[in-house]
């Protein structure tokens, strides 16, 4: 990876971590999937993981990201 790609990667990781913290706070407060804030944050979290995936071609997507994708698909279908 070039230096600009490395910096972008690290910034994306930092943003994912911040969203992780926000998601944990929202869930600990008892909000469920009926709350649109939780779903919006999850979609942003997934978008960040997609951007990371572009920087790391050939790397498989982590299992927890696949699980969240499946949850989002299920919520959309209901």
């Amino acid at each position: 990876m070039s230096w600009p790609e490395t910096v972008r990667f690290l910034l994306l990781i930092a943003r994912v971590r911040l969203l992780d913290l926000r998601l944990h706070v929202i869930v600990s407060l008892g909000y469920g999937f009926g709350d649109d804030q939780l779903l919006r944050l999850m979609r942003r979290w997934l978008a960040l993981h997609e951007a990371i995936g572009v920087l790391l071609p050939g790397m498989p997507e982590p299992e927890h990201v696949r699980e969240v994708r499946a949850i989002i698909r299920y919520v959309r279908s209901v």
Side-chain angles (χ1 to χ4, degrees):
M1 248 193 276
S2 67
W3 278 109
E5 288 174 330
T6 303
V7 170
R8 178 163 167 70
F9 175 73
L10 293 174
L11 289 174
L12 289 169
I13 294 293
R15 289 179 65 194
V16 165
R17 295 299 299 154
L18 288 173
L19 278 179
D20 280 342
L21 291 173
R22 287 181 67 190
L23 286 166
H24 283 288
V25 167
I26 288 172
V27 169
S28 69
L29 293 175
Y31 294 104
F33 289 113
D35 181 36
D36 64 335
Q37 182 182 12
L38 178 61
L39 288 173
R40 279 186 281 124
L41 286 176
M42 288 174 73
R43 287 183 182 123
R44 285 179 48 201
W45 184 83
L46 286 172
L48 290 172
H49 275 284
E50 286 175 13
I52 290 169
V54 169
L55 291 173
L56 301 173
M59 293 289 294
E61 189 173 63
E63 180 65 29
H64 64 282
V65 176
R66 281 193 297 271
E67 291 171 0
V68 171
R69 256 185 230 295
I71 290 168
I72 294 286
R73 279 190 209 114
Y74 175 76
V75 169
R76 282 184 189 163
S77 69
V78 171

